[in-house]
Structures are given as C-alpha cells and as structure tokens.
Amino acid sequence: MSQENTSIITVGKLGAPYGIKGWLKVHSFTDDPEGIFDFSPWLIGQQGKWQTLEVVDWRRHNKGFIAKVAQVNDRDEAMALTNVEISVDAAQLPELPQGEFYWRDLIGMSVVTDKGYDLGIVDDLMETGSNDVLVVKANKKDAFGQAERLIPFLTDSVIKEVKHDAREITVDWDPGF
C-alpha cells in the first residue's frame, strides 16, 4: 500500500511500557476511546518511514488502555515505541452519515455568510463542551478589521450549508463579530 497519495490521521499515542512482556499504555484521541482498537493495522512513523503495528490484544487498565502489538515482545522493544503517535490511513475511517463531517475535512474550507461576505478560511476547530467552534482566519483586508473569528458549529441556526465539492461553508453570521 503506497503512503504517498493517502492521508494519514493521528488517532492516539503509545505511552510507557507496561510490565515486561512488551505491553504498552495507549492514549486514544478518538471520540469513543475504545474506537482506536477498531483500526488495524496502526501506522507509526519512525526514522522518517511508516511501519505497521498489528494489535494482538488490548484491555482497559485504570483510566486508560494497554495493548500488545505483534512485533513487540519485551520491555526494551516497548520502550523504543514510548510516545510514538498512532496513525491510520484515512481510508480506514468509517463513512459518516449525511450532514456529519470529520474536522480534517472542514479545515481549509472558505466560510461565507448567507449574504455573500467572505469571512475567511477555517484554520482550526475547538471543542467547547456545548458545541464545536470553527476558528476562521480572516482575509488580510477584512473590512471589519478581524484577524480571526470564532463561529459556533451549530447546524441550522449558524451553519447553513457545507459544500464539500466547492470547499465552502455558508453561515448566518454577522461579519462584525
């Protein structure tokens, strides 16, 4: 499988070795923490190249998880993987229902008001507890002098339409904010 034309997504990180048989602590970044174990194989980048890790066993441990990967059989081998990011090929991500999006798909999209004002480009997203927030980097010559806008990702009330193919999000938002 060629890595050049696929996108790689970070889904977690390997932690410290656990025990002497090559088990490692696992820090999951997925919405449902156990979801990290639905992906196989894991990809890890070391010394500038990708290698795959096959998870052979895992379990809950305290507030987190521990996992055993096929190629790692002792504490020293596990130690070499401490703090390495766990990635997967984006093609492994499940298809989302209509109207749901992966954050990575929204980054770089233009944000335009329903009155046609160009607010800028999605630079990042934040989780606030109640809802996600688009961090929109404003255009250099923004008429309202804004450098960045924080726009709540509230479907229907604020987010009117996400056009995947046009890479554009239409919002009901006052450009002065």
Side-chain angles (χ1 to χ4, degrees):
M1 166 172 91
S2 145
Q3 300 299 337
E4 292 85 42
N5 55 9
T6 58
S7 53
I8 305 296
I9 310 296
T10 301
V11 293
K13 191 166 106 176
L14 291 167
Y18 176 80
I20 58 170
K21 295 192 173 151
W23 286 71
L24 285 145
K25 291 183 179 158
V26 174
H27 306 285
S28 175
F29 303 158
T30 55
D31 270 356
D32 166 17
E34 284 188 15
I36 194 168
F37 299 105
D38 293 341
F39 300 113
S40 185
W42 286 349
L43 296 171
I44 59 163
Q46 280 193 313
Q47 287 104 38
K49 57 180 187 279
W50 293 103
Q51 74 185 73
T52 58
L53 287 183
E54 195 69 43
V55 178
V56 291
D57 198 4
W58 68 272
R59 62 179 169 255
R60 286 189 166 281
H61 179 69
N62 297 334
K63 288 189 169 77
F65 303 100
I66 55 173
K68 173 79 175 78
V69 291
Q71 303 87 327
V72 178
N73 298 308
D74 64 37
R75 192 174 181 86
D76 291 341
E77 290 174 2
M79 190 70 86
L81 295 174
T82 300
N83 293 327
V84 170
E85 288 187 338
I86 301 165
S87 302
V88 296
D89 187 327
Q92 290 183 267
L93 297 175
E95 286 290 313
L96 290 176
Q98 188 69 36
E100 287 189 25
F101 310 95
Y102 286 112
W103 280 12
R104 66 186 175 86
D105 295 337
L106 301 175
I107 292 177
M109 282 192 177
S110 301
V111 181
V112 181
T113 69
D114 49 4
K115 314 228 177 350
Y117 187 83
D118 181 357
L119 295 172
I121 303 284
V122 178
D123 189 46
D124 198 5
L125 286 103
M126 295 186 317
E127 226 173 323
T128 63
S130 53
N131 55 272
D132 296 335
V133 174
L134 294 173
V135 179
V136 179
K137 194 176 182 71
N139 300 307
K140 289 205 186 336
K141 297 188 175 116
D142 187 77
F144 296 87
Q146 301 284 353
E148 148 179 303
R149 292 181 174 87
L150 301 178
I151 302 176
F153 198 90
L154 298 170
T155 317
D156 299 335
S157 61
V158 177
I159 306 295
K160 293 301 177 188
E161 187 179 10
V162 177
K163 299 181 203 140
H164 261 293
D165 298 338
R167 305 273 309 135
E168 184 178 276
I169 302 170
T170 305
V171 296
D172 178 0
W173 194 253
D174 179 343
F177 287 107

